[in-house]
Every structure is written in structure tokens, then in C-alpha cells.
Amino acid sequence: MDKMKLTIDGREVSVRRGAKVLEAAQEADIYIPTLCNHPELEPYGGCRMCLVEIEKMRGFPPACSTPAAEGMVVKTVTPELTKLRQSVLELLLTEHPHPCLTCHRKELCGPFDVCLRSVSVTERCVVCPKNKRCQLKDVARYIGLDEVSLPYTSRGLPIHTEDPCYDRDYDLCILCGRCVRVCDEVVGASALAFVHRGSQALVGTAFGQPLTESGCVFCGACVEACPTGTLMEKDGRWAGLPDRTITTICNYCGVGCQLRLAIKDNRILRVHPDPQGPSNKGLACSKGKFGLDFVHHPDRLTKPLIKRDGKFQEATWEEALSLVVQRLSQYEGDSFAMVTSAKATNEDNYVMQKFARETMGTNNVDHCARLCHAPTVAGLAQTLGSGAMTNSIADLAQAKTILVIGSNTTATHPVIGFQVRRLARKEQANLLVADPREIDLVRDSTLWLRQRSGTDVALLMGMARVILDEGLADMDFVRERCENFEAFQESLQAFDLETVSQTTGIPAQDIARAARLYATQKPSAILYAMGITQHSHGTDNVMASSNLALLTGNIGVPGAGVNPLRGHSNVQGACDMGGLPNVYPGYQSVGNPEARAKFEAGWGCSLPDKPGLTLMEMWDAALDGRLKAVYLVGENPVLSDADASHVEKALKNLEFLVVQDIFLTETARLADVVLPAATFAEKDGTFTNTERRVQRLRIAVLSPGEARPDWLITCQIAQRMGAMGFDFQNPEEIMEEIARLTPSYGGISYPRLESGGLQWPCPTPDHPGTPILHVGRFTRGKGWLAPLRYRPSEELPDKEYPLVLTTARLAHHFHTGTMTRKAKGLAQLRNEELAEVNPQDAERLGIQSGDAIYVASRRGRVTARARVTEDIPFGEVAMSFHFAETATNMLTNPALDPLSKMPEFKVCAVKVGKAT
């Protein structure tokens, strides 16, 4: 990077060309006071605290907005600057309470709110909840402003406590604008604004609306940006300083946000998204920022439970483990199945699949990746050689075109959604959105392609046909790096524009425009999620996405690629660790004799050579009696799996079910034994996020009662069953074994993960990790262009069931609600299912928003309240599966994708009417 040199306060400083003076000072650890500056925002220069002197420049320019220049000489501390800053700040403080500045015993300030000026320790400083964490106070101290000569005038503004998650005390506001700008420029919600003018100016919402009606997404970015106590989390508002702060990884979606947990008295006091987080850079969503209440919830499992005479009774660990060992010993082999967890760490998952294979002698191992990205693993492994996100989250900034298909990114992966929206709003990238629903990103899109649910193959192959017909393909890339082009080209004959338009419902000119933008405005990135995968042709959808990237050379370069967005915090890692029935850790096939021999030697055992049952096949086998015992960790299939009534019957038909979890979930209630597990905040380990980045979890708080880490519980069961190789003393030792047996993790170790994580493949201890896959060469050698045909969804509307049900996820809840519904703020934002119905359908059915309705399929019937909205297309209904009271997956279709065994969550036929 081109550098230049300047002098700041007598020190020579080297900085990149184009940097501002403030950046140059900060990189050299030279403090310049500022109140309005923020690393994620454009320079503003509003607070006037960062004024400096620069030789040969008139006046006192703001360091935040003044470009640094070669040979520049800067002074940050002079008598004139100090006086000027003091004058500006004193004026500011005439409308800001400041007893913290005038306290003459400030050097003795006690535990947060105990004022040591008082004889009685009960006198409290109740002016500001941000004592000892206030940047305004830090600036005042730095410039030596201990006394304010001008009188203080209270504006008498109300404290807004009516909204969930955080409070707003505008008497403490200094109008720095950080909250307004971070909400607009970074998050894109624009929920906050400056209202009124001049001396009456305030920060607020449009027309004084509550935050819940202002467009606020409750990500907390404004709270993090606020330099004073104006915006503060409700929980812990007056709790003061933490005992310690622990850096770990969020346990919700696959973005892998790095969080700093402020801990006091063994409780999470506050959550701060880490500005150093490689995947989130100081951002979080509502779940990560305000959704960790579950860790301390009174309903946590704290002791083992054994079901006796149909009722659970608390038991000792000795009793519970003895019973589990006694019963599981009866079912070794394929009468047993292990369900691992995408919420558990890599180390947990490694031990679980090892237990199933080494101790129980079966490859019947699977987890919820089967229900989200199994088509990704199957499809991309065929076409590219690796079933994972090809690029990194950060290099989206280099994309010129972004195709978001089957992903409501701002709801399911908000931090990535914020980045995509920011690029679109700044016109740095064309944004193509393909989704039947009018999702949030549509308003910022260059083009919205509203395909009928289940027609993605037709759309993507139709775009490929346009690209090829118009000579827009990168044929040099195709010739040099791809194979099977002739068969692929032949298959495109079925996807002429007229046919594709009729199939998808998208105007032909829009399909053609999207194809041209994707092919010519490069690099182009594809982002997709479960709107692509959760179909009976999900693997075809994935391969169609891959075809587009291969045809245009959008693979192996920054800002491009095929990028599946993983749904759980460690669903990528659970797959990597072999939590699948056909592969060992590192996707080494159980049918490969060399791979099997390696693991037999590494584990000191003999291993079965045939792939095991997939998740949905397990439930069928349980019903017909082939599968007799299941050990299930951290999953809730009674609510999460398709045709949930079928799953419940299967679980009830087992001879023995042991569930390991943090709460007594709907699935755990069916168990014979329930084992209490530790949460992500109570254990060490690693998660692997959606961009293949392996990151460290660290113990922040102690587990309640007798809850134990998952890896330890499984190891104790294995050891009691006489298995060798489970005597790990800590998760670091497990990672060492993983690295020995898994080439893609060969260079990963805990010491190396201390500085932001590593992206696999990382084969050796000196390897830097791999931010972009398939650079120069595909994992499989050459990229495979897949010939495809359009296949309709398995169950389409008819006279009896005239509507299509599609499932979705909400921004403020996660999976089956086990964790998020126990967070007070998130529950206030949404605590019931709302079935989305198009206005035309609603009018025909006599339904209005708020009405109680039923939704029924051939498999079941549920009730919910209606939300009439044009977000959902005519003929479709959308529902989530977060609410146990409305078990949406009782309705969904268990028809499977033949390659990945993915059920068809996104399309099934239903009827709707008023509930009686």
C-alpha cells in the first residue's frame, strides 16, 4: 500500500495515502479528542473537538475531515487549541448534566454509583448511567475542563422507556449525530433523525413514533455509537462497570459475529459487538445484542432428568449416565442414531460423531444441516469440489453486482444484509433480488425478480441462456477451467426466455436485464440461503447458481463467488466435523477405504463402511422399528422438521431416547433421559462461520447447577462404555486430534486462533488460511457445468388446497424459539405467529389483519393471527416456525430432494379460513 509521511506532535508518522489526519494520529497512538467521529462513518466535523494546528494552513481544521499530506506538520496540543476546545465543550455542557465533572473527589469514585463525597454510601449519583464509560467525560478530563462557568439549563426532556431493549434519555444527548448516522449510513434503517431546528434540535423518530413503528431493527448500533448515556440497554442500565470482559462468538446465525461480553457477578451485564470482529466489525443484530437473556433464564436445565412412570424426576449424574450407558449398550450398530448439533462447538460435534462411529459402530449420524444446507454440500461438491461459501464476507465490498436469491438477508443474516444494503445505497454495486416475497432488500434493489415459489432453476438457467446467446459468457474461463460445457449448453435449449417467463411469472425483459448485469458488471457475487435449498430440487437450485458463476468466470476472484449463508452459528463446523452420515471430518468419505483406514488407525477401532441414515430417514426407520435408540443433542425436531407430527410419532416409537440440551424443549419432553448442557457462554471451543472462519469461544460465565459442556458429557458416556480415545482434558486437546486427522484443519490450533480466526483450508501450521476458494484451480480439478431440467415442486395447489405455503424466518427470533423467546426484549418485539396473506386472497376469504385463522395442509392444521400484506404474492401464505403454539412444520411437505434428502419446506399446498 502506498504510504506517506507526516509529523504529528514532533513524531514522524507513516500512513496510507488518502487517510485523514485523525486516522494518521490514531494509527500512531496519538490521542486527538473527538465526539462525533466513528470508524464506520464518513467524517462529519460537527463536534469541533478534533481541531488541530497545521503549518501553512489557516485556522484550526478538524482532523477527522482534513486529508493528511506528505510532509504535513500537525500539532494536536497547544494553548490555543486547549482554550478553543474548552470553550466549545463548555457551551455544549450548558444543556448537559455535568456533576461528574465538578465532583472534587472524582479520583476516589467508588463502585459505579456510590459517591464517596457522602458520609453515607447510600447516596447515589443518579444523573448518568454511563459513569466511567462516558466519552464526553473522557474528553472533558483530557482538555482539563473541571469547572463549567456557564449556567446549566435542563431541557426537561422525557426519558423514553416505552420501547423494548434500550431506553432514550435525550437530556443527556449532545447532538453528535452518531446514532442518526450509524442508523442511516451503516444499518440502513433510518429509524432516527434530527427533528426540529436550531436551539430546539433533538434526535428522535419521525412524528415522535415509538421505535417499534419507526423502522428500528433493534440492532443496538446506535447504543454502541452513543458517546454519552443517552442510549442505554435496559438490562444493566444502572449496574455499573463489569468485573471483566470476555471475547467470544455469537451463538445465533452463521455470520460468526465476535462479541465482547461484559460480565459482573457471573452474569452477562451487557453485550458489545467487537469492532475487531473480522466478520461483523462492530455490528450485531437484535439477537446478538439483546438476545442472550436465555443464558441466565430460570428455566435452564440444571440437573439430569430421568423419566419414571411418565414423569421426569431429578437425578444425579451417576444415575443418569449409568442408565444411558446401560440402555445404549443394548443398541450398538445401526439400531442406534446420533443427532449432533449446529449450535454446539466443533469440538462437541467431533466427539459426538466419533462416539457414534467408534463406540456405537454406526454411521447413522446427522444434524439440522440436512434441513438447511445439505443441497449446498451435495451440489457445490459436485460442481466445484467443495460445499462451502467460496468467498469472504468482507470482500463483498469489491462486488459490482450482487445477486441475492432465496435469502431475506437483513432478517436472517442482518450484519451481511446491512453491508449489502450499504453497497446498494452508495451505488457501489448493482443489487439483484430474486424472491417471491417483497423482502426488505427490495427497496434498495436495482432490479427485483419476483419468481413463483419453486421456479428458481428455470430463472437461473434462463439467465444462463441469455448470457450464452448474447455472447456475454467468459468463454476463456469456460475453456480453461470448466468441463461438460456441451451437455450444459444442450440443456439450455429448454430455457428460452418465453418459456422461463411463463414458468417464473417474471417479465422476459427483466430476466434478460438481470443476466446482462450479472455477466457484464463484474465481479458478481451470488448470495443464497434456504429459499434456494429447501426444495425437492434444492441441489439443482444450488448447481444452477454455480452454473451462472462458472459461465461468467465469477469464481476464484474477490467480490464474486457462490456464497451460501449458513443458518446456525456452527452448522458449517458441524458438517466439517463429520456430523453427516456419509463423511468423516473434513468430508472424507466413509466409503473410501483409505479414509476409513486412516480413522481406524487414528481411533484404534474398526469402522462401518456404508453410509448411515439421513435425518428424515431416521424418523422413518424409528417408525418401522429399525431404529430403536437415539442420542439427540441441541436440536428440536418436533418443531423444526417437516411433517412434524410424523417426527413426534417416530420419537415416541423409540425404545430409548436421550436428549442433551439447555432447556426442556418440546423434543426433550419425549425423552427417557435429559442431560443438562452448557451454553456457548459457558464453555471453550470453536465455531466455524459461514465464510469457513474458525473462531474461538471462551468461557464467560459458569454454568448453572450441574450443567456440563456437551463434549464432556459425550466423553463420559463413551468412557463408561469402555471406549478408548475419549480421555480429553479440554477442548484444545480435541482440536489437536481434529487437526491430525482433518487436512483442511491441519494448521488450526488454539494459539493461532487468538488473533481473529483462520479460514479453512488451512493445511499446515504456517498456512495463512484461505479467504477465497478455487483461485487458479478448483478443488475437484475443473468446474463442472451441470445440465439441468426444470422440475416443479412435489405438491402444488389444487381445488382442495388452493394456496402455497412458504416458510420464513423472522429478524428477532431464531429456529424454534428455544433461546430468543426467553429474551424479554425480543419477546416484546414479536411473541406470536402472524400468517402473511396477500390482500386479494384475504378479501376473497373475508380475512382482515388480526383475525384468527387456520392454515391446513394434507398433514395437519394450525391456527394463527393474520397479517394482510402485499409483501406476500397472490396465492401464497408465509409463516415462520419460531412459535410452538403455531407449529408450522406440522403442515410442511416431507418430500425429499433425491440427492441431498432435503425436505420441501418452501412449497406445500394449503387452505386458509377463519378460525372458529
Side-chain angles (χ1 to χ4, degrees):
M1 184 182 295
D2 195 11
K3 296 271 190 175
M4 59 184 173
K5 293 181 179 180
L6 64 157
T7 302
I8 304 178
D9 291 340
R11 288 174 52 190
E12 187 175 82
V13 173
S14 179
V15 70
R16 63 177 175 81
R17 293 190 182 276
K20 302 296 191 287
V21 171
L22 180 62
E23 294 176 88
Q26 289 171 338
E27 287 185 23
D29 290 327
I30 297 172
Y31 178 70
I32 298 177
T34 178
L35 290 170
C36 67
N37 187 70
H38 188 279
E40 293 299 317
L41 299 173
E42 295 295 322
Y44 182 52
C47 72
R48 315 311 288 176
M49 285 294 105
C50 70
L51 302 180
V52 293
E53 288 186 11
I54 301 177
E55 282 189 6
K56 300 178 182 179
M57 189 176 290
R58 294 177 59 189
F60 302 97
C64 66
S65 57
T66 302
E70 184 72 48
M72 181 179 275
V73 178
V74 181
K75 293 181 180 179
T76 72
V77 182
T78 68
E80 292 85 356
L81 283 172
T82 297
K83 185 176 180 180
L84 184 56
R85 289 169 179 162
Q86 287 178 342
S87 298
V88 172
L89 190 57
E90 191 167 4
L91 286 170
L92 189 66
L93 290 174
T94 60
E95 291 188 341
H96 184 93
H98 48 266
C100 55
L101 298 185
T102 57
C103 173
H104 295 291
R105 300 291 299 280
K106 54 185 174 283
E107 73 279 2
L108 298 177
C109 221
F112 173 62
D113 57 350
V114 179
C115 177
L116 296 187
R117 290 177 301 168
S118 172
V119 175
S120 167
V121 295
T122 60
E123 182 182 332
R124 294 167 183 265
C125 173
V126 294
V127 173
C128 182
K130 210 161 185 176
N131 189 28
K132 292 191 176 182
R133 299 186 299 120
C134 176
Q135 293 176 40
L136 176 63
K137 186 175 176 181
D138 293 341
V139 169
R141 294 277 170 78
Y142 175 77
I143 66 175
L145 186 66
D146 288 334
E147 302 287 347
V148 179
S149 60
L150 299 173
Y152 165 64
T153 303
S154 172
R155 288 177 289 178
L157 299 172
I159 300 176
H160 293 273
T161 61
E162 68 272 18
D163 289 301
C165 301
Y166 65 97
D167 294 336
R168 296 174 286 151
D169 182 355
Y170 287 126
D171 252 348
L172 302 179
C173 179
I174 59 172
L175 296 175
C176 68
R178 280 190 189 179
C179 60
V180 174
R181 292 186 299 131
V182 79
C183 186
D184 179 51
E185 294 178 28
V186 177
V187 177
S190 304
L192 297 173
F194 286 112
V195 296
H196 308 305
R197 294 176 181 271
S199 63
Q200 302 301 309
L202 297 170
V203 170
T205 60
F207 309 107
Q209 301 173 99
L211 289 170
T212 49
E213 297 174 20
S214 72
C216 178
V217 296
F218 293 90
C219 65
C222 58
V223 178
E224 292 297 311
C226 181
T228 69
T230 306
L231 305 178
M232 289 283 289
E233 303 91 339
K234 285 181 181 292
D235 290 343
R237 178 176 167 84
W238 295 101
L241 296 177
D243 303 328
R244 62 191 186 282
T245 300
I246 303 297
T247 300
T248 191
I249 305 301
C250 181
N251 67 310
Y252 282 113
C253 81
V255 175
C257 294
Q258 191 162 289
L259 304 177
R260 299 178 71 242
L261 306 185
I263 308 300
K264 187 173 186 177
D265 299 330
N266 199 46
R267 294 184 68 85
I268 299 171
L269 193 64
R270 285 178 287 270
V271 178
H272 302 291
D274 192 345
Q276 303 305 313
S279 304
N280 60 311
K281 300 188 185 305
L283 292 174
C285 70
S286 60
K287 299 182 287 292
K289 174 68 176 171
F290 299 112
L292 303 190
D293 301 28
F294 72 89
V295 172
H296 307 297
H297 198 276
D299 289 348
R300 281 287 303 277
L301 292 169
T302 59
K303 291 187 176 182
L305 302 175
I306 294 176
K307 189 174 285 180
R308 297 185 175 103
D309 299 323
K311 294 183 179 180
F312 283 119
Q313 296 179 3
E314 289 187 351
T316 65
W317 273 104
E318 177 62 33
E319 291 172 316
L321 292 177
S322 295
L323 179 59
V324 169
V325 168
Q326 176 209 333
R327 296 298 305 275
L328 289 186
S329 297
Q330 303 170 28
Y331 303 111
E332 294 182 13
D334 289 340
S335 62
F336 168 83
M338 179 87 222
V339 179
T340 70
S341 177
K343 302 182 189 74
T345 65
N346 286 319
E347 295 77 6
D348 296 331
N349 278 280
Y350 178 83
V351 166
M352 292 172 203
Q353 63 81 35
K354 181 180 179 180
F355 169 77
R357 292 180 163 114
E358 189 266 5
T359 309
M360 300 300 293
T362 181
N363 285 317
N364 290 343
V365 184
D366 210 354
H367 71 291
C368 71
R370 187 64 50 194
L371 311 178
C372 57
H373 276 284
T376 291
V377 176
L380 294 185
Q382 284 192 59
T383 62
L384 308 179
S386 178
M389 187 169 172
T390 62
N391 286 53
S392 300
I393 294 168
D395 80 20
L396 272 175
Q398 300 181 58
K400 297 301 180 187
T401 300
I402 301 173
L403 170 59
V404 177
I405 182 166
S407 165
N408 186 3
T409 320
T410 55
T412 58
H413 302 85
V415 168
I416 295 176
F418 299 159
Q419 182 177 357
V420 170
R421 182 158 56 195
R422 188 159 67 248
L423 293 168
R425 286 191 175 182
K426 290 184 175 182
E427 297 184 350
Q428 291 178 230
N430 300 295
L431 175 57
L432 310 176
V433 176
D435 202 292
R437 300 170 67 217
E438 190 171 356
I439 60 173
D440 187 43
L441 283 178
V442 167
R443 63 189 170 119
D444 296 303
S445 65
T446 308
L447 182 63
W448 176 28
L449 305 170
R450 193 174 203 175
Q451 77 273 39
R452 295 188 181 98
S453 290
T455 63
D456 305 283
V457 165
L459 170 60
L460 294 166
M461 293 292 277
M463 289 175 64
R465 169 76 181 268
V466 171
I467 290 167
L468 204 57
D469 286 353
E470 296 189 4
L472 304 178
D474 186 341
M475 293 309 297
D476 288 340
F477 184 91
V478 170
R479 281 188 289 270
E480 292 170 13
R481 297 198 54 192
C482 300
E483 60 186 2
N484 205 42
F485 173 73
E486 289 75 16
F488 165 71
Q489 184 179 30
E490 178 65 28
S491 74
L492 289 180
Q493 297 308 306
F495 295 99
D496 61 274
L497 265 181
E498 182 180 354
T499 300
V500 171
S501 178
Q502 290 175 354
T503 301
T504 62
I506 303 170
Q509 63 269 25
D510 288 349
I511 299 169
R513 184 185 173 204
R516 293 171 191 136
L517 284 171
Y518 179 83
T520 62
Q521 302 298 302
K522 300 197 306 184
S524 299
I526 297 174
L527 302 181
Y528 73 81
M530 284 171 277
I532 281 289
T533 59
Q534 289 183 329
H535 293 273
S536 57
H537 44 265
T539 305
D540 287 355
N541 288 346
V542 170
M543 291 194 291
S545 303
S546 175
N547 284 341
L548 263 190
L550 291 171
L551 190 62
T552 55
N554 277 302
I555 288 283
V557 294
V562 182
N563 301 293
L565 303 180
R566 295 293 189 135
H568 279 63
S569 55
N570 200 39
V571 69
Q572 180 67 59
C575 292
D576 297 345
M577 292 301 102
L580 299 168
N582 60 328
V583 291
Y584 301 122
Y587 305 98
Q588 300 169 85
S589 174
V590 300
N592 183 320
E594 291 182 5
R596 189 165 61 255
K598 179 173 82 169
F599 280 93
E600 287 177 336
W603 292 344
C605 65
S606 60
L607 295 169
D609 60 355
K610 291 186 294 187
L613 300 173
T614 64
L615 199 62
M616 300 304 287
E617 291 170 337
M618 288 178 186
W619 309 142
D620 292 339
L623 269 177
D624 67 23
R626 287 176 291 135
L627 188 65
K628 301 181 185 301
V630 169
Y631 179 6
L632 184 148
V633 181
E635 300 294 346
N636 195 13
V638 167
L639 292 183
S640 65
D641 290 18
D643 193 6
S645 297
H646 172 82
V647 176
E648 184 171 349
K649 289 176 186 174
L651 291 171
K652 288 179 176 178
N653 201 49
L654 291 168
E655 293 181 8
F656 186 65
L657 173 63
V658 55
V659 171
Q660 193 166 296
D661 215 317
I662 61 175
F663 292 107
L664 192 65
T665 64
E666 288 74 15
T667 301
R669 290 175 192 143
L670 304 179
D672 298 287
V673 177
V674 178
L675 303 176
T679 68
F680 85 107
E682 298 155 4
K683 59 186 175 182
D684 287 318
T686 57
F687 281 164
T688 304
N689 77 345
T690 192
E691 60 178 350
R692 299 170 283 105
R693 186 182 299 277
V694 185
Q695 302 182 97
R696 279 278 279 118
L697 273 73
R698 298 171 180 87
I699 296 174
V701 294
L702 301 178
S703 298
E706 300 175 18
R708 295 179 179 178
D710 290 297
W711 68 268
L712 180 60
I713 299 171
T714 305
C715 284
Q716 290 174 334
I717 293 171
Q719 287 175 303
R720 285 167 174 258
M721 294 183 72
M724 304 297 289
F726 288 87
D727 55 347
F728 303 108
Q729 298 302 301
N730 52 57
E732 186 171 6
E733 291 186 1
I734 303 173
M735 179 54 74
E736 290 169 359
E737 181 169 306
I738 293 167
R740 286 196 299 271
L741 293 171
T742 311
S744 56
Y745 279 64
I748 293 176
S749 64
Y750 277 30
R752 292 196 71 197
L753 297 178
E754 288 302 315
S755 56
L758 291 163
Q759 289 172 272
W760 66 257
C762 180
T764 61
D766 58 352
H767 193 282
T770 308
I772 302 175
L773 294 178
H774 316 304
V775 177
R777 184 181 185 277
F778 288 100
T779 307
R780 68 183 301 276
K782 286 194 170 186
W784 189 67
L785 287 158
L788 300 171
R789 63 183 181 85
Y790 168 66
R791 292 186 293 116
S793 299
E794 289 293 318
E795 185 178 80
L796 297 175
D798 56 21
K799 187 174 181 180
E800 185 178 4
Y801 296 95
L803 300 174
V804 167
L805 170 69
T806 190
T807 56
R809 290 188 176 191
L810 306 177
H812 305 306
H813 284 287
F814 184 76
H815 207 235
T816 60
T818 305
M819 298 181 292
T820 50
R821 293 194 68 189
K822 293 176 175 65
K824 296 189 295 292
L826 302 185
Q828 283 180 266
L829 289 168
R830 181 77 172 266
N831 205 28
E832 65 173 330
E833 184 60 62
L834 298 178
E836 295 183 351
V837 182
N838 182 273
Q840 294 179 61
D841 294 314
E843 183 178 8
R844 177 177 58 83
L845 296 166
I847 291 170
Q848 297 181 346
S849 285
D851 285 353
I853 63 171
Y854 71 83
V855 183
S857 75
R858 290 176 172 84
R859 290 156 293 280
R861 171 183 167 128
V862 299
T863 58
R865 289 199 303 126
R867 177 177 178 260
V868 178
T869 173
E870 292 185 351
D871 291 351
I872 192 77
F874 172 71
E876 295 198 14
V877 181
M879 298 174 71
S880 78
F881 63 102
H882 305 311
F883 304 97
E885 303 89 337
T886 304
T888 300
N889 279 317
M890 289 177 62
L891 310 176
T892 48
N893 189 0
L896 301 181
D897 172 42
L899 289 174
S900 67
K901 309 300 182 184
M902 161 69 78
E904 189 146 48
F905 288 95
K906 291 302 181 204
V907 177
C908 76
V910 296
K911 57 185 175 183
V912 173
K914 280 192 172 184
T916 54

